[in-house]
Amino acid sequence: MSSILEVKNLCFSYDPNNKDGKYAVHDVSFSVEKGDIIGIIGHTGSGKSTLVQHLNGLLKPTSGEVLLNGKNIWDEPKKIKDVRFKVGLVFQYPEYQLFEETVFEDISFGPKNMGLSGEELTARVNEICEVVGIKKEYYEKSPFDLSGGEKRRVAIAGVMAMRPEVLILDEPIAGLDPKGRRDTVSMIKQYRKAYGATVIIISHNMEDMALLADKLLVMNKGSIEMFDTVYNVFSKYDRLKEIGLAVPAAAEVLRRINEKNSSIRTDIFTTKAAAEYLCAYAAGEKGA
Amino acid sequence: MKKVLKDITFGQYVESNSFIHRLDPRTKILLTILGIVFLFLADSNNLFSLLVCIVQVAIIIAFSRVPLRMYLKNIKAILPIIVLTTIINLFYGSGEVLLSFWRVTITTGGVNRAVYMAVRVILLILLSSVLTYTTTPNDITDAIESLLSFLRIFGLRTAVHMLAMMMTIALRFIPTLVEETEKIINAQKARGADLESGKLFQRIRALIPILIPLLISSVRRAYELAEAMECRCYNGGVGRVRMKELKYGLRDITAAAVMLIFCGGVIAVNILL
Amino acid sequence: MSDKQIEIKNVTFSYGDGEEKRNVLENFSLDIERGSFTVILGHNGSGKSTVAKLMNGLYKPSGESGKVLVDGIDTRGSEHEIEIRRKVGMVFQNPDNQLVASVVEEDVAFGPENLGLKREEIRARVDEALKAVGMFEFRKSTPHHLSGGQKQRVAIAGVIVMRPECLILDEPTAMLDPKGRAEVMDIITRFNRENGMTVVLITHFMEEAEPADRVLLLNDGEIISDGKPKEIFSDIETLKKAGLDVPQTTELLFELKQNGMDIDTDAISVEETAARITAALHLEEK
């Protein structure tokens, strides 16, 4: 079996007795292949964040199960900590969880909890910093003296340092400026390339999703609305609109042009690809 | 955690529109204090004065329209304390010896005393439960500010205002901070932090990754709140007028009168019987 | 009365002392017209928040030179502080850290209570302000149970309840989801158009500058461009240099232009972008 992560009929209610029968997550099933990049999109309150907290065992399903490499993560509740090392979860605004005096110490926190120490620990931190491009001169700085974007990257590196097989990030680029965004996205890509890790990203930003993800999981009211390739999900324009989600702006623009001239394609979702297509179209028109 | 959050936000408030709910919160606080004082003034050698107290509390509870099981829940919560006081009281007192073993003797006086003490503690809990079940923390804050306002004749106006402002801000921010704590705990757990096991010292050390981010964020919040308050023309409460006005009504007079009759009853029974 | 709501004249502002001293603004000047809608764009650390806080006297100019006038009143003197704050309301980024009370209507009442208005007057103003931001039905709720966008609307109500002539908003949408952002932008635009309120919006989202009369681009404490939204948007190189987020629509037009297409790059909305491309490709009526 090649699925690294499998979720089966997961239901979750914040009320343990579930008197009112309301679920934050209801009957969710999906599986993730090793090395995939999955994007999760959905409204605020659609259950995205609740869902991902099940994947590393921070929340325990009311019913249903989560399988990591084919094994139910709750088979041995005492070893749930090991699951958290294999499935790294970066919360929204992770820079608020920084607490150590130096960048090096803060990135070491996760590996230390795994039981690493001494040279092994230093080697681990060095390695991850090299992979994601955090320079050595930052090691002794206080994380609180860094810029917003730098803090964010140190916090993410703190989770990456545990070298998780699955890396989950909740809105990793929210609130960053363009440079911070570029750096953060490239660091996620570098991590994936170096370790062949599986990546799951929650985001509101459809453009980034179109650029980054292989498949999109669309959440609506606690259930899965779609789980398909980026192309197929963004092609269901009307349904996305119905549940209050947008398609990337480039696709939206192409649709408007298509209303005027139906020979224009509407199935291009990134700005770059749309620009290339339109230029090629213009050249073709001229040639004809 | 969610439950803690709910308890702090609403205290133990139970939504209803009963006579007691609609009383001015100041009336409720004053009458609760009065009621508690009289619980202890009731003669402990006089069955009737205790009966008057029981009837009084029963009537108040009936008028509060809060389900009885809610009150029982509060009594259950302090049951160990009731049992303990009862047992201790059992061994004191004089009178006819009922039981004697080893160095312990139980007398009629002791039994008497134990029962009275238990009933008193239960009534005390019930009375204060009525206050918290029928009054929101906000109303309690406003009432305390208003009741303490007499202190301004001693030049303590700023102190009273500051106390009230602090209580208001605490009520506003405790849920936010509880939620934030929960988030930080989850984030550090995701990094493998172990908060549940280990010896006391290890557990205290394990709190550092939670307390430091919480402290930093609280300081930031405090700073931003201060700026926002300043922008909203806050100047330390000088010349401040509250929108919400507490007003005593006929209802409050009625409640006070009934309470006083019962208190009079306790005194009368104490003296006459 | 002058038609200038706010005048910043040759102001220098610095943080820290001695060695650590750092000038955020140097000899900075800016006028805000009464009734205008001005957007100040800039990346984090460009000095835009400092400019905002100078405008209502929360920060005072450093040193002796330069001054900030609100309606002709110098913000330096402390005797006019309340008057200035009353004229110039300020909304911040994090709605959670602006709300004081745990009941919506009591929070909105905070400002007028401080002003010592009559009780009936406070009541009337609070209801009016809550209706203006569409939060009247939530007046008895606790802020903790509201969404980010709703909390920010309550924060705005808490400022307009003092009936300011000018509203300054410092990144009011930065922490909100797309829905919350749209709600807040709608309210801000309405206050300017319908009530003639002077609005200064500070943001790093370029698309939020679209409804403005005037856009200022701030970089390292200096205004690097100043003009109508379309003028500013058509100069994408400068926007990018200032570290700004360019909307995907504008980015698309920019890419097309770079690839040699003869096209205007001053559009932001999807409709306008589509129209520009349709025109450039001569797709109309085919």
Side-chain angles (χ1 to χ4, degrees), chain A residues 6-13 23 25-30 51 54-55 57 59-68 71-75:
Chain A
E6 205 177 347
V7 174
K8 282 187 183 167
N9 308 100
L10 187 138
C11 290
F12 180 76
S13 161
Y23 289 100
V25 172
H26 186 67
D27 199 19
V28 162
S29 302
F30 66 96
L51 174 64
H54 283 88
L55 304 183
L59 292 175
K60 196 173 177 182
T62 308
S63 67
E65 50 191 24
V66 178
L67 307 179
L68 178 66
K71 195 168 161 279
N72 186 342
I73 61 169
W74 288 99
D75 273 352

Side-chain angles (χ1 to χ4, degrees), chain A residues 43-44 93 96 175-179 181 204-205 207 249-250 252-254 256-257 260-264 270-272 274-276 278-279 281-282 285, chain C residues 43-44 174-179 204 243-246 248-249 251-252 255-256 259-261 269-271 273-275 277-278 281-286:
Chain A
H43 252 248
T44 311
Y93 300 109
Y96 293 138
L176 294 179
D177 57 13
K179 185 179 179 306
R181 283 223 305 259
H204 275 120
N205 190 320
E207 279 76 27
E252 193 77 67
V253 170
L254 289 174
R256 299 298 157 96
I257 305 173
K260 293 264 161 52
N261 186 316
S262 56
S263 68
I264 294 288
T270 66
T271 308
K272 261 213 155 61
E276 276 165 22
L278 287 169
C279 283
Y281 185 92
E285 285 284 288
Chain C
H43 67 90
N44 300 335
M175 298 185 77
L176 308 182
D177 64 2
K179 187 164 167 277
H204 67 263
L244 275 177
D245 257 323
V246 177
Q248 295 299 311
T249 43
E251 184 81 47
L252 178 59
E255 292 262 343
L256 291 174
N259 279 314
M261 199 180 280
S269 70
V270 167
E271 283 78 13
T273 308
I277 297 172
T278 314
L281 290 178
H282 312 292
L283 289 171
E284 212 71 63
E285 311 301 329
K286 267 194 191 170

Side-chain angles (χ1 to χ4, degrees), chain C residues 108-173:
Chain C
V108 175
F110 183 72
E113 284 180 344
N114 290 331
L115 295 175
L117 301 178
K118 284 209 187 73
R119 214 162 248 148
E120 307 77 56
E121 167 87 11
I122 298 177
R123 181 81 254 173
R125 281 189 179 206
V126 166
D127 290 352
E128 185 193 286
L130 279 170
K131 280 175 188 159
V133 299
M135 288 298 290
F136 186 66
E137 56 179 310
F138 293 98
R139 62 193 181 280
K140 301 279 183 199
S141 307
T142 162
H144 186 67
H145 291 156
L146 301 178
S147 74
Q150 289 173 326
K151 276 188 252 188
Q152 195 60 290
R153 278 148 73 191
V154 172
I156 293 174
V159 172
I160 60 152
V161 73
M162 293 183 286
R163 302 209 175 132
E165 295 166 15
C166 176
L167 189 61
I168 299 175
L169 306 106
D170 189 359
E171 302 214 50
T173 62

Side-chain angles (χ1 to χ4, degrees), chain C residues 213-248:
Chain C
D213 306 318
R214 178 188 181 196
V215 181
L216 297 160
L217 200 54
L218 207 64
N219 194 23
D220 291 333
E222 270 178 70
I223 298 174
I224 56 170
S225 8
D226 179 352
K228 299 234 172 282
K230 301 239 149 155
E231 295 163 19
I232 304 294
F233 299 160
S234 56
D235 185 9
I236 297 181
E237 280 94 345
T238 311
L239 287 166
K240 287 198 168 180
K241 221 189 290 159
L244 275 177
D245 257 323
V246 177
Q248 295 299 311

Side-chain angles (χ1 to χ4, degrees), chain B residues 5-267:
Chain B
L5 207 70
K6 210 175 138 213
D7 280 356
I8 294 165
T9 326
F10 293 108
Q12 296 189 307
Y13 185 68
V14 179
E15 188 88 50
S16 171
N17 202 22
S18 75
F19 178 83
I20 308 229
H21 277 79
R22 282 179 293 160
L23 284 177
D24 187 293
R26 290 171 298 181
T27 312
K28 282 189 263 190
I29 291 180
L30 291 176
L31 294 185
T32 304
I33 294 170
L34 186 72
I36 290 172
V37 169
F38 270 82
L39 273 183
F40 286 88
L41 285 182
D43 188 348
S44 53
N45 288 316
N46 191 326
L47 182 67
F48 289 102
S49 64
L50 201 64
L51 271 179
V52 173
C53 289
I54 292 173
V55 170
Q56 173 197 23
V57 173
I59 290 175
I60 293 173
I61 286 177
F63 270 91
S64 76
R65 291 227 214 116
V66 173
L68 203 60
R69 64 182 161 78
M70 298 291 292
Y71 290 105
L72 294 178
K73 199 181 78 184
N74 270 1
I75 292 178
K76 214 172 106 186
I78 58 134
L79 202 60
I81 297 173
I82 299 175
V83 171
L84 193 74
T85 41
T86 310
I87 291 174
I88 290 170
N89 275 291
L90 213 51
F91 303 135
Y92 291 90
S94 50
E96 199 181 318
V97 177
L98 292 173
L99 197 68
S100 183
F101 59 93
W102 189 43
R103 288 199 214 154
V104 183
T105 46
I106 294 176
T107 61
T108 46
V111 172
N112 200 25
R113 211 181 147 119
V115 170
Y116 271 80
M117 212 50 214
V119 171
R120 259 180 195 159
V121 174
I122 291 170
L123 291 180
L124 178 104
I125 296 306
L126 289 175
L127 262 183
S128 39
S129 303
V130 173
L131 178 67
T132 52
Y133 280 148
T134 63
T135 325
T136 61
N138 263 309
D139 281 342
I140 293 181
T141 307
D142 290 342
I144 291 175
E145 182 181 11
S146 171
L147 288 172
L148 292 180
S149 63
F150 75 91
L151 288 175
R152 69 179 49 155
I153 51 172
F154 303 112
L156 292 172
R157 178 199 292 268
T158 331
V160 173
H161 167 74
M162 267 166 56
L163 179 74
M165 201 69 229
M166 266 155 51
M167 282 166 66
T168 305
I169 291 174
L171 281 177
R172 160 71 189 82
F173 277 91
I174 285 170
T176 309
L177 290 180
V178 169
E179 199 177 81
E180 183 152 318
T181 312
E182 197 177 359
K183 266 189 206 152
I184 297 172
I185 288 176
N186 275 336
Q188 305 298 26
K189 267 188 180 170
R191 294 212 273 169
D194 189 351
L195 303 168
E196 276 108 28
S197 55
K199 295 209 175 74
L200 185 66
F201 179 68
Q202 280 168 317
R203 284 196 191 201
I204 293 170
R205 265 185 66 96
L207 286 177
I208 293 174
I210 289 151
L211 293 181
I212 290 181
L214 193 63
L215 187 73
I216 290 170
S217 116
S218 304
V219 170
R220 197 189 61 241
R221 280 183 196 283
Y223 182 78
E224 287 185 20
L225 181 70
E227 270 192 346
M229 284 170 72
E230 217 180 304
C231 286
R232 293 169 76 182
C233 299
Y234 183 68
N235 59 354
V238 181
R240 193 166 140 83
V241 172
R242 298 302 308 273
M243 173 175 74
K244 201 161 89 183
E245 192 183 15
L246 295 174
K247 260 190 189 154
Y248 293 116
L250 191 60
R251 203 177 285 125
D252 297 288
I253 298 170
T254 316
V258 172
M259 254 331 245
L260 287 173
I261 291 171
F262 272 106
C263 293
V266 170
I267 296 171

